[in-house]
Amino acid sequence: MKYANIREEELKNKIAQEYFWMLDCSKIVGNVDFCVSLHSSETELSDISTLLWAEAKKGSADIQKSISQLILTIGKARTFDKTLPPAYLGAFDAEKIAFVPYSEITDVFYQNDFNWNVTPSNHETREFKLILTKVKDTLDAQALIFYYEKDQKELQYFIKQNFVAGKYGITKTRIDKNNFMVIYNKWLTAVKPSISADWDAAKKIGIIDGDFYLADLLSKENNTLKDKLFVLLKTDTYHLDRKLDDAGFFSTKTVSFKKNDQTAHTQFWNKYERPPKEEYWDYIVGRRDLLVPQDVRERKGSFFTPQIWVELSQKYLADVLGEDWQDEYYIWDCACGTGNLLAGLTNKYHIFASTLDKQDIDVIHDRIQNGANLLEKHVFQFDFLNDDFDKLPKNLQEIINNEEKRKKLVVYINPPYAEATTAKTITGTGENKAGVAKDSKLNDFYNAKIGNASNEMFALFMARVYDKIPDSKFALFSKLKFVQGTNFIKFRDFFRAKFLGGFIVRADTFDNVKGNFPIGFTTWDLSVKDKINNTVCNIIANNGKKEGKKTFYGELPESINKWIKLFDNGSNIHFGYMGNPAPDFQHNSQMYLANQKGIEHFNFWSFTKNNVIMGSIYFAVRQVIDASWLNDRDQFLFPNDGWKSDNEFQNNCLAYLLFHGQNRITAKNSTNHFIPFTEQELEAGEKFESSFMIDFIKGKLKPDPKTNLFGIIETLRTTPLIFSTEAKAVFDAGRELWRYYHKTINNSSSFLSTKPNANASLYDIREYFQGRNTKGTMKHKSEDENYTLLIADLRETLKLLAKKIEPKVYEYGFLK
């Protein structure tokens, strides 16, 4: 609630200042709570100088009761006889405001034998209840209700368009191709719950909530104007699944509103102008894919390819196949959705399009009727991962079954990106959906051929194209994990083809694709059996311009996780743990240090006095380079031996680990062995429980050869560590932060709720100064200005140290 816990007078002031600031809200008209008028200089331009009389209520109130109270207030004082009435009556409270044209209410003031001489604020009187009953239907049908938080833009637009001199009639928010999705999201919460539909059952026959929205949107006076939609609105009932029955009669299923109450529907659409301009209809219907729920979208692959990438992909096809490729080759999009990937193709006699969703096929057929450059017979329903190829049109079968013609077939697709694994980790499109790819009957068949890659829908498409349409040309949009992913090693042994060229773009340029990773368009000649290896793609910026090249490596050394495992010696004497998530950039955010093992489903590596340096190297090389959409899937690798003789690199990595934000070692429930300073340096008030880290840095620890494994001599220095200039700067900044903490822990300010601890780690110090919110999450900022400056200085020096370490990451083979 935007204006919760404020008094009514303050609420009126805020509404005046935030929404009617350009108008005069100072006038007092009778006993009306709130009045909005034109400024005196504008009144000569309009017959109506007063725009709004409104009832105000603090907290949350019943709008209809508030307007009924306002009517009694006006009627009792006969205000309309003394002052020219306004354009609107209204009511507002702490969360919403409502308007109704005065002309729709006028008749109520001229009732015969009505007793106006009652207290308007008493909602129990007979007269109040009579007014409420009389105006209820009018308010249900005509009131425009706006919630301050979720309808902010619509409210501002309504006031700007309607509260002006000389304005007659109501101007509502217009809907176009740019805002129809925004309004759909509002419709989902305001209207959908009032529709008496079994949404799961509807989904099984291909009907989605978006179809009901389109029926509403493309209607006038609650009657859908476009009769080829899957759902039609007929006044107060939705009609769907229309077909001829066995007796030859036209039958349809209907869905009504819950309890036959269309109020929520009416009040929602009162705010918008329906239908949109007719020039937008085909575009909006063609973008039905945007209205597909996420679970259906991932299963069916309804990720709309932006037109800029469609055009660029066709340019790349012309580059690799020749400028006359559309006349020389046949094209089949076997995951076509509503067909946007085919826009721009010119030879409709060489184009085939299929998808498993009948509704999408109907959309394309409708577009063909309106001029789309496709043949209706070449657009058909077909489940590529489950249907047999003998269900294909005969002319397409002839192409596939003819060895020479097949070489002239281009399979051109943007397949589904959903994946199904047992791990509950975040992927590019959201959480993994168990069973998505496994729903296909081909999953088991191809699992033996491509291994875990069969959990990926796009990999199943690739496998079936490769298997069933050999020697063809293949062009697809997809994630690039099939080139470099560790789960795709077996896939790369199966799928052998010549790479012809391609480009990569940001995934989030595709509608409803979330995640910071690349999507590639790659082209392949399936007749040449090359093993996938170094695949070089052009990097394309969001504006379509080339920004360099990126190499994706098919053959890579072993993983960094296998390397670090060599130093996990299993000693019973350990003083911290480090999570080792999947070895790529997208999983680096899951990596952290802690006193105890976490609950995550990956290995936790234990620190001992003999492997501190190796653990620090592992941590640093995975954190010094920021994750980006370009490197998101890049793999961290088993290094060469160069790191072993580079003491400065090793020491820099230790410094980086000690002061990094994902070092969550704490002194709360166990001993903190990671304090990198002496008590004297920090002017601490008491002796620390552990001097391990400072002893390690000064070379005072004795080696324990019994813990060595695999013949590896583990690094335990017996002389003081020597740090680079950049690492020393980090220690200096850290020292100042620790000193400030120790200086303040005996007289902490009231907002510092965390109990001070002389053995505090960096994590403890951050928690002490930043505190936690009501959800238990550490706050991002502190109220202590000195701390804010010190932690900012530490982070800045850490960035410089990261730049120092970064070249060594590549030099020693941790990344390619």
Side-chain angles (χ1 to χ4, degrees):
M1 197 178 299
K2 185 173 183 179
Y3 302 111
N5 303 320
I6 64 173
R7 299 171 65 179
E8 186 176 301
E9 289 304 313
E10 184 180 357
L11 175 62
K12 289 191 284 186
N13 290 337
K14 286 188 177 293
I15 296 300
Q17 293 166 7
E18 294 192 24
Y19 297 103
F20 301 101
W21 55 271
M22 77 297 287
L23 299 162
D24 183 1
C25 299
S26 63
K27 292 182 180 179
I28 299 175
V29 179
N31 294 319
V32 175
D33 279 348
F34 187 79
C35 178
V36 179
S37 305
L38 295 171
H39 290 290
S40 56
S41 61
E42 300 175 287
T43 55
E44 61 186 36
L45 301 175
S46 176
D47 295 332
I48 299 177
S49 61
T50 303
L51 301 172
L52 174 67
W53 291 346
E55 183 73 21
K57 296 288 184 184
K58 68 178 182 179
S60 179
D62 184 318
I63 286 292
Q64 295 195 352
K65 289 183 178 180
S66 295
I67 292 179
S68 297
Q69 181 176 328
L70 174 65
I71 290 170
L72 277 173
T73 300
I74 296 167
K76 182 177 182 179
R78 306 292 293 179
T79 309
F80 50 82
D81 287 337
K82 305 167 188 175
T83 305
L84 202 63
Y88 298 95
L89 296 183
F92 60 85
D93 57 26
E95 66 175 350
K96 59 189 177 295
I97 186 169
F99 306 92
V100 62
Y102 181 86
S103 58
E104 300 292 340
I105 299 293
T106 306
D107 290 349
V108 77
F109 294 117
Y110 298 99
Q111 302 177 76
N112 294 323
D113 301 323
F114 186 81
N115 175 26
W116 291 97
N117 194 27
V118 295
T119 303
S121 59
N122 184 354
H123 294 186
E124 300 302 319
T125 65
R126 172 179 174 273
E127 287 74 14
F128 180 89
K129 293 176 180 178
L130 285 171
I131 291 292
L132 180 61
T133 301
K134 188 169 184 64
V135 301
K136 184 182 186 307
D137 289 343
T138 299
L139 296 179
D140 283 345
Q142 301 295 335
L144 290 88
I145 302 175
F146 301 91
Y147 287 79
Y148 306 125
E149 292 181 334
K150 66 180 181 179
D151 297 326
Q152 177 88 352
K153 290 184 178 179
E154 288 89 342
L155 174 56
Q156 291 172 339
Y157 179 84
F158 175 80
I159 293 171
K160 181 179 179 180
Q161 295 296 320
N162 295 285
F163 281 53
V164 294
K167 180 72 173 69
Y168 294 95
I170 299 176
T171 299
K172 302 178 182 181
T173 299
R174 287 190 173 276
I175 303 172
D176 56 32
K177 64 181 183 179
N178 297 315
N179 67 1
F180 80 98
M181 267 299 297
V182 175
I183 294 165
Y184 164 67
N185 289 328
K186 295 175 182 289
W187 180 92
L188 286 175
T189 57
V191 179
K192 180 183 174 181
S194 70
I195 300 172
S196 183
D198 184 336
W199 299 107
D200 290 334
K203 195 183 296 184
K204 290 178 181 177
I205 62 171
I207 301 294
I208 58 174
D209 50 32
D211 293 320
F212 287 77
Y213 170 70
L214 291 176
D216 280 356
L217 179 60
L218 301 179
S219 69
K220 186 174 183 179
E221 297 178 355
N222 281 345
N223 282 281
T224 304
L225 301 174
K226 193 173 178 66
D227 60 4
K228 289 189 178 181
L229 298 179
F230 309 123
V231 177
L232 303 179
L233 176 62
K234 301 290 187 182
T235 309
D236 58 359
T237 307
Y238 294 98
H239 293 240
L240 60 152
D241 198 23
R242 305 175 305 283
K243 58 188 177 183
L244 289 173
D245 61 22
D246 294 338
F249 294 104
F250 195 75
S251 65
T252 185
K253 295 178 181 177
T254 61
V255 174
S256 58
F257 291 92
K258 292 178 180 177
K259 299 180 180 179
N260 293 318
D261 185 357
Q262 200 173 352
T263 303
H265 180 272
T266 302
Q267 290 182 348
F268 177 82
W269 288 112
N270 277 347
K271 292 178 284 193
Y272 302 100
E273 191 72 41
R274 290 187 295 165
K277 291 182 178 179
E278 191 167 356
E279 64 196 71
Y280 299 134
W281 291 10
D282 285 344
Y283 176 85
I284 291 172
V285 173
R287 292 312 312 269
R288 176 182 179 268
D289 65 292
L290 289 176
L291 310 178
V292 176
Q294 188 68 12
D295 61 329
V296 177
R297 178 183 298 279
E298 290 182 350
R299 188 167 60 250
K300 295 183 178 179
S302 303
F303 293 98
F304 193 87
T305 315
Q307 190 61 31
I308 184 175
W309 308 141
V310 172
E311 293 174 3
L312 187 61
S313 69
Q314 292 174 11
K315 178 181 181 300
Y316 270 65
L317 282 168
D319 289 343
V320 299
L321 300 178
E323 62 180 31
D324 296 326
W325 74 281
Q326 294 191 51
D327 294 323
E328 296 176 1
Y329 287 83
Y330 297 97
I331 302 160
W332 180 20
D333 181 354
C334 56
C336 69
T338 55
N340 76 297
L341 193 59
L342 304 175
L345 299 181
T346 57
N347 189 347
K348 62 183 178 182
Y349 300 101
H350 280 205
I351 302 169
F352 297 87
S354 64
T355 184
L356 59 81
D357 193 338
K358 182 181 184 300
Q359 281 70 26
D360 285 343
I361 297 300
D362 290 343
V363 167
I364 300 177
H365 284 171
D366 186 49
R367 289 174 58 194
I368 293 171
Q369 296 299 317
N370 288 281
N373 191 36
L374 298 167
L375 292 179
E376 191 164 322
K377 290 182 179 180
H378 283 196
V379 179
F380 53 95
Q381 185 178 5
F382 183 74
D383 184 346
F384 188 78
L385 296 186
N386 291 296
D387 287 347
D388 294 327
F389 273 35
D390 58 11
K391 294 183 179 180
L392 294 173
K394 295 299 182 184
N395 50 353
L396 181 56
Q397 286 189 51
E398 289 174 3
I399 295 169
I400 293 173
N401 294 332
N402 184 297
E403 184 176 348
E404 292 305 314
K405 287 185 177 181
R406 191 168 62 237
K407 292 178 181 179
K408 290 292 186 176
L409 174 63
V410 180
V411 180
Y412 176 40
I413 60 174
N414 178 12
Y417 301 153
E419 59 187 273
T421 72
T422 55
K424 295 181 179 178
T425 57
I426 299 299
T427 70
T429 56
E431 289 191 359
N432 293 342
K433 297 288 193 292
V436 174
K438 292 177 183 177
D439 288 342
S440 167
K441 71 179 184 181
L442 293 180
N443 178 274
D444 291 337
F445 176 77
Y446 282 115
N447 182 265
K449 298 175 180 289
I450 63 175
N452 290 336
S454 63
N455 287 325
E456 301 271 0
M457 293 283 279
F458 83 89
L460 288 175
F461 270 83
M462 292 183 72
R464 196 168 202 210
V465 169
Y466 184 81
D467 194 29
K468 294 295 185 181
I469 318 176
D471 301 333
S472 62
K473 304 298 186 292
F474 192 19
L476 77 158
F477 287 90
S478 71
K479 293 184 270 189
L480 273 298
K481 58 172 66 179
F482 75 92
V483 176
Q484 62 180 16
T486 54
N487 280 340
F488 281 76
I489 294 173
K490 196 168 184 178
F491 176 90
R492 290 191 288 273
D493 288 335
F494 169 78
F495 186 97
R496 291 175 177 257
K498 181 182 180 180
F499 176 65
L500 300 177
F503 62 85
I504 54 172
V505 297
R506 296 180 66 105
D508 57 14
T509 61
F510 286 68
D511 294 324
N512 292 310
V513 177
K514 300 176 182 178
N516 198 29
F517 62 95
I519 286 180
F521 175 74
T522 54
T523 56
W524 306 86
D525 184 346
L526 302 189
S527 67
V528 181
K529 307 303 181 184
D530 291 345
K531 188 169 176 61
I532 297 176
N533 201 350
N534 299 351
T535 302
V536 182
C537 292
N538 291 326
I539 301 168
I540 307 297
N542 289 4
N543 61 6
K545 293 184 178 179
K546 182 179 173 182
E547 288 192 336
K549 295 179 181 290
K550 167 78 174 177
T551 300
F552 296 89
Y553 298 94
E555 296 296 328
L556 288 170
E558 294 281 3
S559 156
I560 193 175
N561 282 1
K562 189 168 184 178
W563 172 77
I564 194 62
K565 196 71 178 171
L566 297 176
F567 308 102
D568 198 355
N569 57 31
S571 169
N572 290 325
I573 304 173
H574 51 262
F575 53 88
Y577 292 91
M578 175 174 61
N580 304 149
D584 55 28
F585 277 92
Q586 69 163 326
H587 289 96
N588 280 353
S589 61
Q590 300 175 13
M591 183 180 173
Y592 63 92
L593 268 66
N595 301 70
Q596 304 296 329
K597 292 181 179 181
I599 61 173
E600 292 83 357
H601 298 288
F602 45 68
N603 179 64
F604 277 84
W605 188 84
S606 57
F607 278 92
T608 72
K609 68 178 183 178
N610 293 296
N611 64 16
V612 173
I613 290 297
M614 284 69 80
S616 300
I617 292 172
Y618 178 91
F619 182 91
V621 299
R622 291 196 60 171
Q623 296 296 332
V624 295
I625 302 171
D626 291 335
S628 71
W629 73 274
L630 277 174
N631 67 19
D632 184 70
R633 299 300 196 266
D634 286 2
Q635 303 289 309
F636 291 93
L637 307 170
F638 198 116
N640 58 47
D641 290 339
W643 67 271
K644 293 181 179 179
S645 58
D646 191 340
N647 288 340
E648 182 183 86
F649 166 73
Q650 296 174 22
N651 298 345
N652 284 344
C653 290
L654 173 62
Y656 192 82
L657 171 139
L658 290 173
F659 297 97
H660 194 274
Q662 283 172 236
N663 181 341
R664 300 177 191 169
I665 294 292
T666 176
K668 275 188 173 181
N669 300 312
S670 58
T671 302
N672 173 18
H673 296 285
F674 281 75
I675 303 174
F677 306 109
T678 65
E679 294 89 345
Q680 292 77 15
E681 285 181 280
L682 305 181
E683 299 178 5
E686 59 184 273
K687 185 175 177 59
F688 298 152
E689 293 176 358
S690 171
S691 62
F692 169 81
M693 189 53 66
I694 193 65
D695 288 342
F696 180 84
I697 291 171
K698 291 185 175 183
K700 293 183 178 181
L701 298 178
K702 295 180 180 180
D704 180 8
K706 293 181 180 179
T707 60
N708 291 347
L709 293 179
F710 309 108
I712 296 171
I713 300 175
E714 296 172 325
T715 305
L716 181 56
R717 313 282 179 75
T718 56
T719 57
L721 306 189
I722 299 174
F723 293 97
S724 67
T725 302
E726 293 81 359
K728 288 177 181 177
V730 172
F731 273 94
D732 290 343
R735 187 181 299 106
E736 291 304 312
L737 177 63
W738 255 267
R739 279 178 177 170
Y740 182 67
Y741 170 78
H742 283 277
K743 182 179 178 180
T744 59
I745 58 177
N746 292 324
N747 56 353
S748 58
S749 303
S750 59
F751 66 84
L752 301 174
S753 57
T754 304
K755 184 179 178 181
N757 187 331
N759 295 281
S761 65
L762 174 62
Y763 187 77
D764 296 327
I765 293 173
R766 290 173 54 219
E767 181 182 26
Y768 178 78
F769 284 108
Q770 294 170 210
R772 294 185 180 274
N773 60 26
T774 55
K775 295 181 180 180
T777 304
M778 191 182 297
K779 296 176 182 177
H780 295 295
K781 296 181 180 179
S782 170
E783 297 178 30
D784 189 306
E785 293 181 2
N786 289 330
Y787 164 79
T788 300
L789 291 173
L790 291 169
I791 195 70
D793 186 40
L794 175 61
R795 288 167 178 163
E796 193 60 34
T797 60
L798 204 65
K799 288 180 183 178
L800 296 176
L801 179 58
K803 291 296 183 184
K804 176 79 172 179
I805 297 171
E806 182 177 343
K808 301 291 185 179
V809 175
Y810 294 96
E811 180 181 341
Y812 299 142
F814 290 103
L815 281 175
K816 290 190 73 170

